[in-house]
Amino acid sequence: MLLTRSLFDECPAPYAAPEPIAPGAALLRGFALDQAEALLQAARQVIAAAPLRHLKTPGGRVMSVGMSNCGALGWVSDSTGYRYSSTDPLSGQPWPSMPACFAELAMQAAAEAGYEGFAPDACLINRYEPGARLSLHQDRDESDLGAPIVSVSLGLPAVFLFGGLQRSDRPARWRLAHADVAVWGGVSRLAFHGVAPLADGEHPRLGRQRINLTFRRAG
Ligand SMILES: O=C(O)CCC(=O)C(=O)O
Ligand SMILES: [Mn+2]
């Protein structure tokens, strides 16, 4: 079983079609496979300029996920709240610009899920090590809630929790593997979602980590 699973992860199936997970929300399994290597190289360059960091929540907790950003705007959190900022608080400099391969993939994935013309101006890079998690939340700090969210998974598989518009709605659990893309918008744009604690493992390309790229139209 273990052997089957690790071989399976090394040879993901090619992309076939969107898999609906809720009204306005879909999984595109394997959609980023051809671009995965380019995305990872570009992510490495972004992280070299704007290092991953563990942000503090307004409540004072340190987030288990390491984060950075690229694009005109970047998502940040500190004791004063959550917001988008045009500069990296660590350096005071603008965030690295969004690599062309990032914006292109995000636009193509959005179109494939039925959202033509998506032009992200923010990409949050999330790095999960074993045990890291993201509790249920809504992406609601963007000024344009008409645009969808496009979320690309790379590396170790994760369990994505996707619920409803109320925090109390019981979330469904979806496995997100290397090169899978989730897109949600429309009536699901403010759906509560999160990521269960990352199970330990060894990804052939990324080792013991998962990288997630979340594209938004924030400004
Ligand atoms: O890592 C993921 O799959 C989800 C990330 C997310 O929800 C976020 O960055 O707001
Ligand atoms: Mn989110």
Side-chain angles (χ1 to χ4, degrees), residues 6-18:
S6 74
L7 284 176
F8 184 75
D9 278 344
E10 273 184 65
C11 307
Y15 173 69

Side-chain angles (χ1 to χ4, degrees), residues 162-195:
F162 199 82
L165 298 179
Q166 308 296 323
R167 186 180 291 279
S168 54
D169 294 336
R170 190 194 178 103
R173 298 163 68 86
W174 302 92
R175 183 174 190 268
L176 293 182
H178 182 68
D180 289 350
V181 181
V183 181
W184 63 97
V187 293
S188 284
R189 176 59 180 76
L190 287 177
F192 278 88
H193 61 280
V195 176

